[in-house]
Amino acid sequence: MLNSYEYKKIDESYFSFTMPNGLQVFYIPRPNYKKSFAVFSTDFGGIDFKTDLMTLPPGIAHFLEHKLFENPNGNVEDDFSKLGISVNAFTTHNNTSYYISCTSNFYEGLELLLDFVQTPYFTDQNVKKEQGIIAQEIEMYRDDANWVGYLNLLNGLYPNHPINKDIAGAKDDILQVDVDMLNETFGQYYNPLNMALFVIGDIDIERLYEFVAENQQKKKFEEAPKYQRNFKQDEFIPNEKKVSIDMEISRNILNFGFKDKQVEEAGKELFEKEITTLLGLETLVGKSSKLYNDLYENRIIDDSFSIEYTTETGYGHTIFSCETEDPMKTYSILKERFQEAVNQGLDEEDFIVNKRKIQGITLMELNSLENVVLGFMGEHFRGGRFFDKNEIIEKITFEKVEKRIKEHLDFKMSALSVVNNKAR
Amino acid sequence: MNAKFEKTELAPGVNLYLYPTDKYKTVSIRAFLYTDLEDETSKTAILPEILKKGTKDYPTPRELSKELAKLYGTRMGAGVTKRGETLLADFRMEMVSPKYLEDDSYVQKALKIFKDVIFDPALDDNKFNKTYVEIEKQNLKNRIAAVVNDKQKFAFMKAIENSCPDEAYRISKYGSVEELDKVNEANLYQHYEKIVNNNPMDFYVVGNFDKDKLKPLLTETFKINRQQVTSIKKPINSKAQPLNEIVHDMEVKQGRLVMVMKTPVTMNNNSYPALLMYNGILGGFTHSKLFQNVREKASLAYYAGSNIETLKGMVFLFAGIDKETYKETLDIMNQQLEDIKAGKISEKEMEYTLAGLKNSLSETIDEVGGQIGLQVDGGLVGRRWEIEELLSELKNVKKEDVVEVANSLEVDTIFFLRPKEEQ
């Protein structure tokens, strides 16, 4: 059954179909493009090492991502190289995705992609080899002060939620990984019912359908997965909990974040919450706000200042980050100024301007095939539809945004993380 | 010249390149002001930061960013890019294509802002705003110091400083803290007047627009009154120094190894496609010798590869490794270099590399930035390669050509950022 959806206003459309084995496929047309992307994803990520039924070492999803690239002949990257196709993968807190980008040989590449992700090959020896490689990857990130500061903040915000662990795990965690664990998680989470394929480019939809159908028919899978993701909310109230560490860097890094109190939303509601929050943050302290410009001109913040809001069902947080000479002093000024601005309420004119800005930027971001296909992927697993974004923005009112900001930026729900530059 | 870009000379040394295409939902504009890297580097570096703060009509950052937000979130950015011995002040604007909006008057408004940012900045008494200059000086000083935060970049920077001691290329694109200390709102404005009135400039416009409508508007907006053009130095083909092995201790978890090699082959050379093949075989891909031997066979690294500085004829080898495996990694790397020189290149390596290069070059065809980048680099070295031309030349590269490139390369620097002993 082939379904098609059209979004006339933004000149976008997509098609979807479901295979008999449960695998969902989405295709977004990009006529006249040389490049095409296929992303094969599972709803399994860094947070999924702990379920009601089992506990595995943190980093298991990422380990599995690495290991699926291996086949009895060696590394599958070789087969892609032969076709001149680049292949890569990444693991987020919630998902694992494998993707190819190519300008020719699309179906050969797609077949390899579907096959290597769905055909595990784990041996004691190749697991051991991967431990060495992943250990180096972990070390590399451990030298990245921004990443360390971010992880420490998540630890402060969520002491009881698996999001507080590094997606790749720690060196000790990955040494525990063995073939059985990989087989167990593969069987559970790489079930077609838990996966989806996303394609963008200049592709014939009928042929795509037949191709995927034929490929999937050849494979057998276990019955539906039995583990459920742990959606339980972390009830901990961080109340400005502080985590700090010393590293050899040029300046101190301050991160502070606010944890969402309500995290049950899914689908369109979750998408709406995300956009409302982003619009609110932009209005409060974006580049065209009074607050941002005051802070910048008075040299409390500089161009290292950044804002990020992330949400999924089960968690959600805003993180402010900046480099500073005196993190605690900067924090106390920012706290005071934020509270003041939130109490006073947002500027309605700024809100209108920012709404227009976000509408324009949403359109501009449709230029990038990568952005579109990955955005579409993320939204699919959250239960929403990526192309609804413009319509959602249009309906957001000033009152909603103001209410959301007042409720969200509550310092009782905040934690902070400082990376101190150790004297060299 | 790439057939896609239509060139118009607006004034001496000022060119406009147009490329209309309905692939995108936007119109992108980029302007490049070319300067010699060594000509008061820090002043050139700070300029875009000051210019994007305000124009005569919108003199504060807040007014300017509010106005851009009103123009459907039109994005504007500016900064500096180092290419060889050239420092480019680089201005960018991206707006929604008028195709998606009923009223297209914002296009003209946005173009006017873009022009004013470069040519009609906010001024106080014929000087830049003192506060902004002080803030941005500090910002750049912080950025210079911040190189230590990205350990990989830091290792590259140190390797380059040692490898090119007598070339301007060793200089950071932000210049130095000492230089920044001397910048003030008056001498910065003088430098600005000098380069904006005399140095070569290119404007690139790519995207979903009606050429007949936009071209007259662009020509009118960017018509600049100037008589003469300062010429810019061409990139220097770097020569190998006597071999220098440097170890730098730092408090890091992972060691970073960078090896620098030099070759007479640059983008301005018929053997350029062979150099691309060489780099692909050595370390550009996952099938390449470095990834295969350092990571896959020896399990020593998460990343191991190579890249080229195409304007200067430099090849960099790199890997992130444990301290204890430094010698072992170096031996493996050297073995790969020797193997290529001796012609130990498999059919498979040739074939896969060609396929990989073909794919990455073809991808460039879909990308605004990639297309423009190739044009700009080509303009600097004096030879513009079309993607189609490169693709067909790559097919003709033989194993002997790769071996010839390999034998033209000399290692001159080995830099190792070494984790300190734990206390």
Side-chain angles (χ1 to χ4, degrees):
Chain A
M1 184 54 190
L2 193 65
N3 295 305
S4 69
Y5 305 85
E6 226 187 319
Y7 295 78
K8 281 226 167 70
K9 259 190 162 167
I10 54 170
D11 201 9
E12 289 288 349
S13 61
Y14 75 88
F15 298 84
S16 80
F17 48 90
T18 308
M19 292 286 124
N21 68 9
L23 178 69
Q24 283 186 283
V25 183
F26 299 90
Y27 167 61
I28 307 154
R30 277 289 180 276
N32 303 326
Y33 269 74
K34 279 241 174 212
K35 188 157 69 174
S36 49
F37 270 98
V39 183
F40 196 18
S41 307
T42 170
D43 199 12
F44 172 52
I47 62 171
D48 297 308
F49 60 90
K50 232 184 205 168
T51 70
D52 293 345
L53 295 172
M54 64 168 178
T55 300
L56 290 163
I60 186 79
H62 174 258
F63 203 104
L64 188 54
E65 175 222 297
H66 271 240
K67 270 314 355 124
L68 285 180
F69 279 85
E70 199 111 20
N71 62 22
N73 310 323
N75 195 309
V76 68
E77 280 170 331
D78 225 42
D79 301 324
F80 285 102
S81 291
K82 185 176 186 178
L83 299 167
I85 292 177
S86 52
V87 58
N88 218 327
F90 62 92
T91 308
T92 65
H93 291 299
N94 283 48
N95 305 112
T96 311
S97 299
Y98 303 80
Y99 63 96
I100 56 169
S101 140
C102 55
T103 50
S104 56
N105 303 322
F106 172 75
Y107 286 101
E108 289 89 334
L110 182 62
E111 181 158 39
L112 283 174
L113 175 70
L114 293 170
D115 289 352
F116 93 79
V117 175
Q118 292 182 319
T119 319
Y121 175 70
F122 311 130
T123 65
D124 291 336
Q125 199 203 346
N126 75 26
V127 167
K128 194 159 186 281
K129 184 198 86 176
E130 212 62 37
Q131 284 165 337
I133 293 170
I134 295 177
Q136 285 305 324
E137 188 181 3
I138 293 170
E139 299 289 60
M140 182 179 79
Y141 285 114
R142 282 282 159 203
D143 280 336
D144 180 344
N146 288 312
W147 179 247
V148 172
Y150 163 77
L151 277 180
N152 283 351
L153 180 64
L154 289 185
N155 256 295
L157 289 171
Y158 302 93
N160 309 309
H161 190 282
I163 195 181
N164 67 13
K165 295 279 190 234
D166 193 329
I167 291 166
K171 249 174 144 180
D172 292 343
D173 299 325
I174 57 161
L175 290 174
Q176 296 169 36
V177 173
D178 62 32
V179 172
D180 290 344
M181 288 178 197
L182 293 173
N183 277 319
E184 173 79 9
T185 36
F186 179 83
Q188 279 301 310
Y189 295 106
Y190 283 70
N191 188 296
L193 285 165
N194 202 46
M195 300 186 73
L197 173 71
F198 309 87
V199 176
I200 187 166
D202 196 352
I203 309 288
D204 182 305
I205 179 73
E206 304 287 336
R207 188 165 168 213
L208 179 68
Y209 179 88
E210 282 160 27
F211 189 87
V212 179
E214 198 179 311
N215 177 284
Q216 291 301 294
Q217 258 166 27
K218 293 183 210 155
K219 298 169 190 168
K220 289 259 174 295
F221 295 92
E222 291 171 38
E223 73 268 35
K226 57 178 183 274
Y227 301 144
Q228 286 292 314
R229 174 170 285 157
N230 192 348
F231 279 131
K232 246 182 274 160
Q233 184 172 351
D234 185 336
E235 303 283 355
F236 177 76
I237 308 239
N239 210 358
E240 301 184 73
K241 185 181 169 178
K242 183 184 167 191
V243 189
S244 52
I245 188 173
D246 293 344
M247 287 178 79
E248 191 166 330
I249 50 173
S250 66
R251 293 163 79 206
N252 309 307
I253 302 172
L254 166 70
N255 277 282
F256 64 102
F258 297 86
K259 177 171 159 179
D260 272 349
K261 295 168 199 167
Q262 305 290 327
V263 290
E264 295 79 30
E265 297 91 342
K268 203 167 182 172
E269 218 188 338
L270 182 63
F271 205 3
E272 204 178 291
K273 177 172 95 174
E274 181 182 77
I275 300 166
T276 308
T277 314
L278 288 170
L279 199 46
L281 292 168
E282 187 73 33
T283 306
L284 180 82
V285 66
K287 288 265 164 80
S288 51
S289 68
K290 186 166 177 299
L291 180 56
Y292 178 91
N293 285 282
D294 279 357
L295 293 168
Y296 194 92
E297 276 170 39
N298 289 305
R299 305 174 83 158
I300 301 178
I301 58 169
D302 61 22
D303 57 359
S304 65
F305 183 78
S306 73
I307 314 168
E308 184 194 304
Y309 177 68
T310 310
T311 185
E312 294 279 348
T313 306
Y315 63 86
H317 49 259
T318 292
I319 297 178
F320 296 94
S321 168
C322 66
E323 293 177 7
T324 162
E325 298 312 313
D326 188 343
M328 292 319 288
K329 190 176 156 202
T330 303
Y331 175 70
S332 77
I333 298 172
L334 289 177
K335 182 181 171 184
E336 196 188 309
R337 299 293 310 274
F338 272 47
Q339 271 177 340
E340 213 176 79
V342 170
N343 290 341
Q344 271 172 14
L346 303 179
D347 182 322
E348 191 163 3
E349 195 209 323
D350 279 358
F351 163 78
I352 294 165
V353 165
N354 282 313
K355 191 165 155 174
R356 197 161 177 184
K357 171 176 168 180
I358 292 188
Q359 268 167 331
I361 286 179
T362 303
L363 263 169
M364 293 187 213
E365 283 171 348
L366 297 174
N367 261 0
S368 152
L369 271 65
E370 243 153 324
N371 254 345
V372 172
V373 76
L374 294 177
F376 200 97
M377 182 278 291
E379 222 29 68
H380 166 72
F381 287 116
R382 298 203 307 183
R385 288 178 182 183
F386 184 64
F387 292 135
D388 283 345
K389 192 165 174 184
N390 262 303
E391 192 195 311
I392 294 174
I393 299 170
E394 235 163 80
K395 287 188 189 140
I396 291 175
T397 61
F398 177 65
E399 290 68 30
K400 256 191 195 166
V401 165
E402 195 172 58
K403 188 171 159 250
R404 169 67 182 147
I405 286 299
K406 287 197 164 167
E407 168 259 329
H408 181 48
L409 298 190
D410 172 356
F411 278 84
K412 271 203 217 61
M413 295 304 285
S414 79
L416 64 151
S417 143
V418 176
V419 185
N420 289 303
N421 70 327
K422 199 171 181 178
R424 267 166 286 153
Chain B
M1 188 61 221
N2 192 306
K4 289 189 187 78
F5 288 94
E6 184 197 290
K7 178 180 168 180
T8 313
E9 194 181 359
L10 299 178
V14 183
N15 294 308
L16 171 68
Y17 296 92
L18 288 180
Y19 172 25
T21 164
D22 59 10
K23 267 190 193 176
Y24 308 119
K25 289 190 160 67
T26 55
V27 179
S28 297
I29 309 169
R30 302 210 37 192
F32 300 97
L33 177 61
Y34 298 85
T35 70
D36 282 325
L37 177 56
E38 252 175 330
D39 176 22
E40 308 200 73
T41 319
S42 285
K43 280 185 190 157
T44 307
I46 207 170
L47 257 182
E49 305 300 329
I50 301 298
L51 294 177
K52 71 184 174 196
K53 292 276 171 300
T55 66
K56 209 162 78 186
D57 295 345
Y58 305 99
T60 67
R62 189 167 181 222
E63 285 167 282
L64 185 58
S65 63
K66 257 191 161 174
E67 184 59 25
L68 288 166
K70 281 183 201 162
L71 307 176
Y72 301 94
T74 290
R75 291 196 267 211
M76 204 193 57
V80 280
T81 310
K82 173 171 126 180
R83 298 301 293 144
E85 277 70 30
T86 309
L87 188 64
L88 291 79
D90 173 356
F91 303 86
R92 307 172 281 276
M93 179 173 265
E94 192 184 17
M95 63 181 107
V96 176
S97 162
K99 216 186 117 185
Y100 295 96
L101 300 161
E102 279 149 31
D103 169 26
D104 64 3
S105 61
Y106 70 96
V107 176
Q108 196 165 355
K109 287 183 189 158
L111 287 181
K112 168 92 163 62
I113 290 178
F114 189 73
K115 189 205 96 180
D116 287 352
V117 161
I118 305 172
F119 298 103
D120 221 342
L123 294 176
D124 283 347
D125 192 19
N126 263 328
K127 288 185 287 250
F128 289 116
N129 179 295
K130 188 178 162 73
T131 314
Y132 296 151
V133 172
E134 290 309 314
I135 292 176
E136 297 314 322
K137 270 165 73 174
Q138 190 56 48
N139 273 339
L140 285 193
K141 284 182 193 174
N142 292 339
R143 277 190 223 169
I144 292 171
V147 66
V148 72
N149 299 345
D150 184 334
K151 312 305 176 194
Q152 175 69 12
K153 257 198 205 159
F154 179 78
F156 262 79
M157 185 195 78
K158 285 286 172 194
I160 288 169
E161 276 176 12
N162 283 287
S163 180
C164 306
D166 306 318
E167 294 167 24
Y169 186 62
R170 72 182 189 285
I171 304 174
S172 151
K173 66 176 177 178
Y174 302 129
S176 65
V177 172
E178 296 72 38
E179 238 190 312
L180 277 164
D181 278 331
K182 292 181 203 140
V183 176
N184 62 43
E185 60 282 8
N187 64 26
L188 184 63
Y189 186 68
Q190 283 164 10
H191 180 70
Y192 161 76
E193 287 237 283
K194 182 184 95 182
I195 61 175
V196 85
N197 289 324
N198 300 297
N199 285 35
M201 279 192 91
D202 284 334
F203 291 90
Y204 285 86
V205 182
V206 179
N208 201 340
F209 58 85
D210 179 347
K211 197 176 83 183
D212 296 335
K213 260 188 170 171
L214 199 63
K215 195 179 165 186
L217 188 57
L218 287 164
T219 334
E220 191 49 43
T221 310
F222 299 136
K223 189 166 269 169
I224 296 145
N225 189 12
R226 64 156 60 164
Q227 306 306 323
Q228 51 175 12
V229 197
T230 307
S231 66
I232 295 298
K233 290 187 198 114
K234 285 194 170 230
I236 298 169
N237 177 212
S238 203
K239 301 278 179 300
Q241 307 282 317
L243 181 68
N244 193 2
E245 197 172 341
I246 305 135
V247 175
H248 184 108
D249 287 310
M250 201 184 216
E251 227 162 273
V252 290
K253 304 264 184 224
Q254 186 182 60
R256 268 76 166 181
L257 173 60
V258 177
M259 196 193 272
V260 189
M261 302 195 291
K262 309 275 178 71
T263 170
V265 182
T266 67
M267 205 180 189
N268 189 23
N269 194 292
N270 287 336
S271 299
Y272 175 55
L275 177 63
L276 292 179
M277 284 295 288
Y278 171 83
N279 181 59
I281 291 163
L282 177 65
F285 300 98
T286 54
H287 67 262
S288 307
K289 288 182 185 289
L290 291 175
F291 192 88
Q292 284 302 317
N293 288 288
V294 178
R295 171 171 152 145
E296 293 299 308
K297 291 211 179 94
S299 187
L300 293 173
Y302 168 65
Y303 67 86
S306 67
N307 59 29
I308 335 172
E309 167 48 86
T310 54
L311 302 184
K312 296 188 55 64
M314 296 168 77
V315 177
F316 300 91
L317 285 68
F318 51 85
I321 53 173
D322 271 341
K323 178 166 62 180
E324 292 71 28
T325 62
Y326 173 67
K327 271 264 157 295
E328 191 185 348
T329 310
L330 212 52
D331 286 346
I332 297 176
M333 283 185 165
N334 279 316
Q335 189 58 51
Q336 308 318 306
L337 297 179
E338 290 310 312
D339 281 357
I340 303 186
K341 281 186 190 168
K344 288 185 193 160
I345 303 166
S346 66
E347 280 312 308
K348 177 184 144 180
E349 285 169 330
M350 289 292 286
E351 185 198 330
Y352 286 20
T353 299
L354 179 62
L357 289 172
K358 219 177 105 185
N359 189 50
S360 56
L361 280 167
S362 305
E363 285 190 353
T364 312
I365 295 177
D366 287 338
E367 288 155 11
V368 179
Q371 292 257 13
I372 296 175
L374 197 62
Q375 291 298 310
V376 169
D377 279 355
L380 285 171
V381 291
R383 171 152 183 180
R384 284 191 158 112
W385 291 82
E386 283 191 43
I387 291 170
E388 290 72 15
E389 183 192 3
L390 262 177
L391 287 172
S392 76
E393 286 295 316
L394 281 169
K395 279 182 208 135
N396 298 328
V397 175
K398 309 233 171 344
K399 211 156 92 176
E400 301 88 84
D401 305 323
V402 177
V403 172
E404 204 180 307
V405 168
N407 281 301
S408 78
L409 278 153
E410 267 180 84
V411 178
D412 79 358
T413 305
I414 300 167
F415 181 86
F416 187 47
L417 181 66
R418 184 172 63 181
K420 260 185 206 162
E421 294 293 339
E422 296 203 7
Q423 280 132 25

